């Protein structure tokens, strides 16, 4: 009788061992899934693309390349940056739209594709609300208000007083009609009641030299493009356009200290194609948040006038909603939109 029962007992032991192995495997898998970096390394596509809607060298391109380099080092995957300039972001949006919604392709851009382009561009080929979904608020880049050396003002208050006294005889340069520099200045004019004439240029690479050469009285530009000239006494930095003072120049006041709610810092963001699985989006967001906190990345960002954020999809969605509202008001103030 015992010899007849032995095979069944053996099978029971084997079954029990199989169950134990299965349970251990399930526990290990659950632990792996609880680690975003592990999921990213194991399950995401082997090649990841960051599509940038501008030529190399600009702000979104700089951020994309720094993040891509460190993301690749951390994951062992290949992370490439593709520049697809043209048609106010439509070329890059098309590249994203024709890619699989599997987390292999992301759009790295500034907020203007979402908050400015729809205001000033008719018949856009992409719908930001339907075609793109938020992934990460990667970083911000505040712009700094600066005058040339001949302007008789050393503080924001002195500049406001001077501009009001001189009527419309003073001017400002921007990096182009409809740019964030343009709209930030129009919002400043309206909020402070100062009349300044607009002189658009093709990028900060032209407007800042115009400031240094006293061809314009004031501009908004990124800190690195102004800092050297300020040190040499060729320009005077008066304020920043971010919501609070910038870590790049903590002694420089924010315009928001005089105009509550004023915030026109440039945001660099990551977007995905609509339909991309939420777990994939969340994992990428978490990986970017880790990357931008690395000391080497913080240092590289600072030298380029960039402040790391690493915000979640929900934080990005909220930030873009607020920015849309501000840009819509500024667009009307700049006479780019119907009153």
């Amino acid at each position: 009788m015992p010899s007849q029962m032995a095979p069944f007992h053996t099978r029971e032991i084997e079954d029990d061992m199989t169950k134990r192995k299965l349970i251990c495997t399930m526990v290990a898998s659950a632990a792996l899934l609880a680690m975003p970096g592990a999921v990213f390394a194991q399950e995401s596509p082997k090649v990841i693309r960051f599509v940038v809607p501008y030529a190399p060298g600009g702000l979104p391109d700089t951020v994309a390349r720094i993040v891509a380099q460190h993301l690749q080092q951390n994951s062992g995957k290949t992370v490439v940056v593709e520049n697809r300039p043209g048609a106010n972001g439509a070329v890059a949006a098309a590249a994203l739209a024709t890619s699989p919604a599997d987390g292999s392709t992301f759009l790295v851009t500034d907020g203007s594709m979402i908050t400015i382009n729809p205001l000033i561009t008719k018949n856009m080929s992409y719908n930001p609300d339907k075609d793109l979904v938020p992934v990460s608020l990667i970083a911000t880049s505040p712009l700094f208000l600066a005058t040339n050396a001949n302007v008789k003002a050393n503080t924001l208050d002195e500049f406001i007083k001077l501009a009001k006294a001189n009527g419309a005889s003073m001017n400002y340069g921007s990096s182009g009609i409809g740019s964030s520099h343009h709209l930030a200045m129009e919002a400043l004019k309206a909020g402070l009641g100062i009349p300044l004439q607009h002189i658009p240029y093709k990028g900060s690479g032209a407007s800042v030299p115009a400031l240094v050469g006293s061809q314009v009285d004031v501009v908004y530009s990124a800190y690195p493009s102004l800092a050297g000239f300020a040190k040499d006494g060729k320009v005077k930095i008066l304020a920043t356009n971010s919501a609070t003072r910038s870590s790049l120049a903590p002694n420089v006041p924010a315009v928001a200290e005089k105009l509550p709610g004023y915030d026109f810092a440039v945001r660099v963001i990551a977007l995905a194609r609509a339909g991309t699985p939420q777990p994939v989006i969340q994992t990428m967001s978490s990986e970017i948040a880790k990357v931008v906190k690395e000391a080497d990345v913080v240092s590289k960002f600072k030298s380029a006038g960039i402040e790391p954020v690493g915000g979640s999809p929900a934080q990005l969605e909220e930030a873009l909603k607020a920015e849309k509202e501000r840009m819509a008001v500024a667009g009307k103030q700049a006479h780019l939109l119907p009153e």
Side-chain angles (χ1 to χ4, degrees), residues 38-199:
V39 175
F40 181 75
Q42 296 294 327
E43 298 183 3
S44 64
K46 293 181 179 180
V47 178
I48 295 171
R49 294 191 301 157
F50 284 168
V51 179
V52 178
Y54 304 103
L59 174 62
D61 178 73
T62 298
V63 171
R65 291 183 186 280
I66 293 173
V67 172
Q69 177 190 357
H70 287 260
L71 200 59
Q72 180 166 294
Q73 291 172 355
N74 293 351
S75 67
K77 294 181 179 294
T78 300
V79 186
V80 299
V81 177
E82 281 188 17
N83 298 92
R84 296 291 189 94
N88 285 335
V91 174
L96 181 66
T98 55
S99 301
D102 60 356
S104 61
T105 306
F106 297 88
L107 185 66
V108 178
T109 181
D110 55 26
S112 66
M113 276 191 67
I114 308 297
T115 63
I116 298 178
N117 289 0
L119 296 174
I120 64 177
T121 305
K122 294 182 179 180
N123 302 319
M124 284 178 44
S125 61
Y126 66 95
N127 185 323
D129 296 326
K130 294 182 179 180
D131 301 334
L132 306 172
V133 292
V135 175
S136 172
L137 173 51
I138 305 174
T140 62
S141 180
L143 300 177
F144 287 79
L145 187 73
T147 66
N148 67 51
N150 296 322
V151 173
K152 306 298 183 182
N154 296 311
T155 66
L156 179 59
D157 284 335
E158 290 176 0
F159 174 73
I160 294 168
K161 184 177 179 180
L162 181 67
K164 288 181 177 180
N166 282 272
S169 64
M170 297 184 71
N171 57 38
Y172 76 91
S174 80
S175 60
I177 294 173
S179 65
S180 56
H181 305 68
H182 177 204
L183 297 183
M185 192 67 81
E186 290 298 321
L188 180 76
K189 286 172 52 180
L192 297 177
I194 54 177
L196 298 171
Q197 296 299 311
H198 179 209
I199 301 178

Side-chain angles (χ1 to χ4, degrees), residues 227-267:
F229 294 119
K231 185 177 180 180
D232 294 339
K234 295 179 180 178
V235 305
K236 292 175 281 188
I237 298 176
L238 306 183
T240 179
N241 74 345
S242 51
T244 59
R245 296 192 181 200
S246 169
S247 61
L248 302 171
N251 293 328
V252 176
V255 172
E257 293 172 28
K258 296 193 72 66
L259 286 178
Y262 183 93
D263 179 12
F264 285 84
V266 180
R267 289 166 173 78

Side-chain angles (χ1 to χ4, degrees), residues 24-44 283 287 290:
C24 288
T25 300
M26 291 173 67
V27 170
S29 297
L32 181 63
L33 289 172
M35 302 168 60
V39 175
F40 181 75
Q42 296 294 327
E43 298 183 3
S44 64
T283 297
E287 291 301 310
K290 288 193 294 186

